[in-house]
C-alpha cells in the first residue's frame, strides 16, 4: 500500500487503496410501475414526471418483500459472478434506510439468507450516500489486509416509506438493490480505489427526513395520523443542494488528484433526477456520453442507485477494465460523497 500524503485540511491525497470491485449483482422487484400507472392514483402525468425528473418507470415490491430479500438476491448474483462461496465472505455491510426491521440489522438477515457462515456485518445509514459511504468503509477492511471478501450492498424498499398521496415525493422513488464484492487488488492494472471525499452537513436535516418512529417521535397513533412515517422533502432545497454539492465535491476530488472531468471514462452519479445529473456533469466537465444515467428505468432507489448504475454500465458495455470511474452521491442528512476508482475487470 502506498503511504498517504496528508494535507493541512486532513485530506488523504493520492492514497491508492488496494481493493477493487470484483463483481456486481442487482435485484429489483418484478412489479413495474410506469408513470402512466402512477397517474391513475395521484395527480400527475407522464409528461410532467419525464420533463422534471427524467424518470419513466420504477419497480415496486410486493407486500412482504424486504430489503434483505433484494439484498441477498443481489449478493448471491455478485458472489456467483466472482466464483466466491458465501462461506468465504468475511464482512457484509448493508446501506439502507428501509431495513426489514429496526433490529436486527439487515446485514444479519442477509448473512443468514445467503449462508455466509463466517461473516460479521452491520447496517449503515447515510440515505442516498449510503452505498458510497459503505463502499469506502469496506475498502478499508480489504486494503488494510484484514479481510479478503467484503460484500457491500445498497438495498431499499422505498415504497414502504413513500406517501402515495404526495405527488412531490412518490414519483421519484423506486425499490431495488445492488451488491458489490470487494477483494484485494494484486496490481494497479487490476483495479483499485484511488481516493474519496465524503461529507455530512446536519443542518440540511430539515429538508429531507422521515420524522416518525425514532426516539424523537416514537410511533403512536398521532405520528401515523400525521403521516410522519413517510418521507418528507422540500424538493427545491434538496435539488439546489444536490446540484451544487455533487459537482463541488467531485471537482475537489478531481483537482486534488491532478485530474479534470475530461479525464474520467465514466461518471456514475446518484440517480435521483436527470436534471441534477446533467447539471452536475456539466459543472464537472464530464462529456454527456461518459455519464451513466438509468434513472429513467429505476427511479431513485436511494442506496441502490450507484451499484445498479454500475451494473447497467457493465451490461451495456460502457465499463471496461482500466477505466477511470468517478462516483458521486448526495442525500438526506445532508450527506455527500465522491469516490474515484480504476475499474478492474
Ligand atoms: O436522493 C435525494 C432525494 N431527492 C432529490 O434529489 C429530489 C430533488 N428535487 C427534485 O427532484 C425536484 O424538486 C422535484 C422533482 C421533487 C420537483 O420538481 P420541481 O421542478 O422542483 O417542481 P416544484 O416543486 O417547483 O413544483 C412545480 C409545480 C408546482 O405547481 P405550481 O405551484 O407551480 O402550480 C407543483 O405543485 O409542479 C407541481 N408538481 C407536480 N405536478 C405534477 C409537483 N409535483 C408534481 C407532480 N406532477 N408529480
Amino acid at each position: 500500500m502506498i503511504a498517504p500524503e496528508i494535507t493541512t485540511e486532513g485530506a488523504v491525497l493520492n492514497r491508492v487503496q488496494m481493493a477493487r470491485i470484483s463483481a456486481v449483482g442487482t435485484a429489483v422487484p418484478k412489479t413495474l410501475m410506469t408513470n402512466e400507472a402512477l397517474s391513475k392514483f395521484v395527480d400527475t402525468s407522464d409528461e410532467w414526471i419525464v420533463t422534471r425528473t427524467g424518470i419513466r418507470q420504477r419497480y415496486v415490491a410486493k407486500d412482504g418483500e424486504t430489503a434483505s430479500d433484494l439484498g441477498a438476491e443481489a449478493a448471491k448474483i455478485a458472489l456467483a459472478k466472482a466464483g466466491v462461496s458465501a462461506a468465504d465472505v468475511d464482512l457484509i455491510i448493508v446501506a439502507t434506510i428501509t431495513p426489514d426491521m429496526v433490529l436486527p440489522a439487515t446485514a444479519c438477515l442477509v448473512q443468514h439468507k445467503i449462508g455466509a457462515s463466517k461473516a460479521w456485518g452491520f447496517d449503515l445509514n447515510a440515505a442516498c450516500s449510503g452505498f458510497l459511504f459503505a463502499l469506502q468503509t469496506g475498502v478499508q477492511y480489504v486494503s488494510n489486509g484484514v479481510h479478503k471478501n467484503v460484500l457491500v450492498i445498497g438495498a431499499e424498499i422505498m415504497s414502504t416509506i413513500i406517501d402515495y398521496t404526495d405527488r412531490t415525493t412518490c414519483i421519484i422513488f423506486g425499490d431495488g438493490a445492488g451488491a458489490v464484492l470487494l477483494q484485494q487488488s494484486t496490481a494497479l492494472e487490476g483495479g483499485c480505489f484511488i481516493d474519496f471525499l465524503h461529507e455530512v452537513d446536519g443542518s440540511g436535516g430539515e429538508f429531507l427526513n422521515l420524522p416518525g418512529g425514532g426516539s424523537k417521535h416514537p410511533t403512536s397513533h398521532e405520528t401515523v395520523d400525521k403521516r410522519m412515517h413517510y418521507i418528507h422533502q422540500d424538493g427545491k432545497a434538496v435539488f439546489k443542494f444536490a446540484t451544487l454539492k455533487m459537482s463541488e465535491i467531485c471537482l475537489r476530488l478531481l483537482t486534488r488528484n491532478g485530474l479534470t472531468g475530461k479525464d474520467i471514462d465514466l461518471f456514475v452519479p446518484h440517480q435521483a433526477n436527470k436534471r441534477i445529473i446533467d447539471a452536475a456533469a456539466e459543472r464537472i466537465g464530464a462529456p454527456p456520453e461518459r455519464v451513466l444515467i438509468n434513472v429513467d428505468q429505476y427511479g431513485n432507489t436511494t442506496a441502490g442507485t450507484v451499484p445498479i448504475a454500475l451494473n447497467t454500465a457493465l451490461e451495456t458495455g460502457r465499463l471496461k477494465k482500466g477505466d477511470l470511474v468517478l462516483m458521486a452521491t448526495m442525500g438526506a442528512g445532508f450527506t455527500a460523497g465522491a469516490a474515484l476508482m480504476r475499474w478492474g475487470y
Side-chain angles (χ1 to χ4, degrees), residues 42-45 48-49 52-53 128 166-173 208 233-240 242 270-273 275-276 300 302 330-332:
V42 67
D43 182 16
T44 189
S45 67
W48 193 96
I49 301 171
R52 300 290 182 125
T53 69
C128 297
D166 175 7
R167 67 177 181 174
T168 66
T169 54
C170 74
I171 53 135
I172 304 174
F173 294 98
L208 182 51
Q233 170 176 263
D234 177 339
K236 277 201 179 314
V238 178
F239 187 94
K240 192 172 163 198
H270 172 50
Q271 309 283 317
N273 184 325
R275 289 192 294 143
I276 295 175
N300 179 356
T302 303
M330 70 70 51

Side-chain angles (χ1 to χ4, degrees), residues 165-187:
T165 65
D166 175 7
R167 67 177 181 174
T168 66
T169 54
C170 74
I171 53 135
I172 304 174
F173 294 98
D175 300 337
V180 301
L181 181 68
L182 291 175
Q183 292 185 309
Q184 284 201 331
S185 184
T186 46

Side-chain angles (χ1 to χ4, degrees), residues 95-97 124-131 156 208 302-304 330-333 335:
T96 186
I97 57 167
L124 186 152
N125 175 347
C128 297
S129 299
F131 178 78
E156 305 284 9
L208 182 51
T302 303
M330 70 70 51
T335 58

Side-chain angles (χ1 to χ4, degrees), residues 56-303:
R56 293 183 182 278
Q57 61 177 45
R58 73 287 292 142
Y59 294 87
V60 290
K62 60 178 190 287
D63 281 352
E65 196 169 18
T66 65
S68 73
D69 290 337
L70 293 186
E73 193 182 332
K76 281 184 190 168
I77 293 168
L79 290 174
K81 283 184 184 169
V84 170
S85 158
D88 291 326
V89 173
D90 302 298
L91 168 63
I92 301 168
I93 309 174
V94 178
T96 186
I97 57 167
T98 50
D100 292 24
M101 294 171 268
V102 172
L103 61 112
T106 305
C108 303
L109 305 173
V110 170
Q111 176 272 336
H112 185 58
K113 283 179 181 171
I114 67 172
S117 48
K118 295 201 288 282
W120 66 292
F122 54 90
D123 288 4
L124 186 152
N125 175 347
C128 297
S129 299
F131 178 78
L132 270 200
F133 284 19
L135 188 65
Q136 200 54 53
T137 307
V139 164
Q140 305 310 312
Y141 287 100
V142 175
S143 56
N144 66 14
V146 170
H147 289 319
K148 283 196 169 62
N149 296 305
V150 173
L151 275 172
V152 178
I153 301 167
E156 305 284 9
I157 308 289
M158 295 301 294
S159 56
T160 56
I161 58 168
I162 296 305
D163 183 349
Y164 281 98
T165 65
D166 175 7
R167 67 177 181 174
T168 66
T169 54
C170 74
I171 53 135
I172 304 174
F173 294 98
D175 300 337
V180 301
L181 181 68
L182 291 175
Q183 292 185 309
Q184 284 201 331
S185 184
T186 46
L188 283 190
E189 58 274 24
C192 60
F193 281 82
I194 298 167
D195 199 5
F196 74 99
L197 219 173
H198 295 344
E199 286 180 1
V200 300
D201 174 4
S203 70
E206 65 184 286
F207 302 112
L208 182 51
N209 55 45
L210 190 159
S215 54
K216 186 169 182 183
H217 302 290
T219 306
S220 65
H221 288 291
E222 191 190 355
T223 62
V224 174
D225 289 346
K226 289 182 172 169
R227 307 181 89 73
M228 291 166 75
H229 53 299
Y230 292 130
I231 282 194
H232 294 250
Q233 170 176 263
D234 177 339
K236 277 201 179 314
V238 178
F239 187 94
K240 192 172 163 198
F241 175 81
T243 311
L244 297 175
K245 180 52 83 175
M246 279 226 297
S247 53
E248 186 254 326
I249 203 165
C250 286
L251 284 171
R252 268 196 290 140
L253 183 66
L254 290 170
T255 304
R256 78 185 194 183
N257 284 277
L259 299 165
T260 72
K262 293 193 173 47
D263 297 311
I264 300 303
D265 295 304
L266 193 66
F267 178 43
V268 183
H270 172 50
Q271 309 283 317
N273 184 325
K274 184 174 181 297
R275 289 192 294 143
I276 295 175
I277 297 172
D278 289 343
E282 191 181 339
R283 281 165 193 257
I284 294 164
E289 65 277 11
R290 296 192 202 161
V291 182
L292 197 288
I293 299 179
N294 68 358
V295 72
D296 53 324
Q297 297 299 305
Y298 298 99
N300 179 356
T301 56
T302 303

